[in-house]
Amino acid sequence: MTTFPAERAVRTTPEGLLWEPSDRWVRARRGEVTVVDSRHPVLVWEPAVPVPLYAFPREEVREDLLRPAKNPATGTHTGSRIFYDLDLGGELLENAAWTFPAADLAGHIAFEWFSRVGRGLDHWYEEEEEIFIHPRDPHKRVDAMASSRHVRVEIDGTLVADTVRPVLLFETALPTRFYIPREDVRMDLFVPTGHHTGCPYKGRADYWSSRSGAAAPANILWSYPDPLPAVGPIKDLLSFYNEAVDITVDGETLERPVTPFTRALSEQTRR
């Protein structure tokens, strides 16, 4: 009989890194070149960085494509001392890979994600599913639940959405987001912006800004036209940043939360 522990231990290194093995089969490419093909990846959390990265055993990495970095990116990635450039023949990606100084992670190499920092490997897969931005944190939940709550949204005193059929999205460490059917949003008050973002838990989002301009930050409204299966109920629904609008739920006005988005939204509003 195989016995599984009740919970998997996250390990800590003297350098302040947290890490744990993953059972997922992970592959990563640059263009059409597979650089990583690993069945023994490790998730690593750096201090003060809320999302994890993957590191891989050297034998599961195309080391023949790595060269000692010409201009090492010192001061990044928790004291890492060894950086590599990725040489793809006609393309050289500087500081695309590195090793962590922790003894626990000796023999492992990590790579940058292009969709996160604008350089590095640009296609990542867990099993047969493409993933984006960064690995999904196994200690984080994202649940989309249909509701009959009465949700009203106002921007600078103007009612812009009113629904009794929202989908509530509960995401660890973030405020509840209220996804509203398009028919219940005053879309005449908004204009599409062409802005897009990617989320490893939800997919790719499209954005709208308020036509009034100064009353709200840009890209205040968004939607996922083709969300990942785990959050399928939010498909084509629309949500607002709680941090920058006034939301009333069942007659109770919610306080605007302070989140990692608050400062950027505030600066956009002042422009």
Side-chain angles (χ1 to χ4, degrees):
M1 177 185 295
T2 302
T3 301
F4 296 97
E7 70 179 60
R8 180 174 297 215
V10 177
R11 307 163 199 187
T12 305
T13 76
E15 297 80 7
L17 297 164
L18 302 177
W19 68 278
E20 69 176 13
S22 172
D23 291 329
R24 302 188 182 199
W25 174 26
V26 178
R27 286 156 292 155
R29 304 197 323 249
R30 176 68 181 187
E32 297 301 318
V33 179
T34 298
V35 180
V36 174
D37 188 335
S38 176
R39 288 171 171 78
H40 306 91
V42 171
L43 284 165
V44 182
W45 290 261
E46 298 185 76
V49 179
V51 299
L53 290 172
Y54 275 123
F56 307 97
R58 285 182 175 273
E59 58 269 22
E60 296 179 342
V61 168
R62 284 283 306 274
E63 283 197 88
D64 60 302
L65 302 177
L66 299 180
R67 309 285 181 263
K70 293 181 179 179
N71 302 293
T74 56
T76 63
H77 296 301
T78 316
S80 299
R81 292 183 295 273
I82 301 176
F83 286 83
Y84 298 97
D85 297 337
L86 182 63
D87 187 350
L88 297 172
E91 181 182 34
L92 183 70
L93 304 179
E94 293 192 349
N95 296 303
W98 71 93
T99 62
F100 289 108
D104 287 359
L105 298 173
H108 287 72
I109 298 176
F111 289 83
E112 297 285 13
W113 292 52
F114 181 85
S115 58
R116 183 182 179 199
V117 298
R119 58 190 173 88
L121 306 185
D122 52 9
H123 292 283
W124 292 77
Y125 300 86
E126 291 176 342
E127 302 300 330
E128 297 302 324
E129 183 175 319
E130 187 166 8
I131 57 175
F132 307 92
I133 313 298
H134 60 78
R136 285 171 284 203
D137 190 327
H139 304 285
K140 182 173 184 176
R141 286 186 63 95
V142 180
D143 298 302
M145 304 179 70
S147 177
S148 60
R149 296 196 192 202
H150 185 191
V151 177
R152 291 166 53 90
V153 181
E154 295 184 3
I155 295 178
D156 199 28
T158 299
L159 182 66
V160 297
D162 190 337
T163 190
V164 291
R165 46 183 186 151
V167 170
L168 274 57
L169 190 130
F170 302 93
E171 185 170 354
T172 303
L174 286 176
T176 302
R177 301 298 189 192
F178 300 90
Y179 282 79
I180 300 172
R182 188 175 297 253
E183 298 80 9
D184 296 338
V185 177
R186 287 283 309 277
M187 294 304 295
D188 59 303
L189 300 178
F190 299 91
V191 58
T193 65
H195 180 63
H196 306 282
T197 60
C199 172
Y201 304 99
K202 297 184 286 292
R204 185 175 183 269
D206 301 331
Y207 286 79
W208 291 257
S209 287
S210 171
R211 290 185 182 275
S212 64
N219 303 307
I220 188 68
L221 178 65
W222 71 86
S223 178
Y224 287 91
D226 188 22
L228 296 176
V231 292
I234 69 172
K235 178 179 174 62
D236 291 328
L237 304 187
L238 297 128
S239 187
F240 296 83
Y241 279 108
N242 311 39
E243 299 88 338
V245 300
D246 296 311
I247 298 178
T248 301
V249 180
D250 293 337
E252 178 182 354
T253 299
L254 306 183
E255 291 187 12
R256 293 189 182 185
V258 177
T259 74
F261 301 105
T262 299
R263 181 176 179 180
L265 291 167
S266 178
E267 290 177 349
Q268 289 180 34
T269 303
R270 289 198 298 267
R271 293 174 185 170

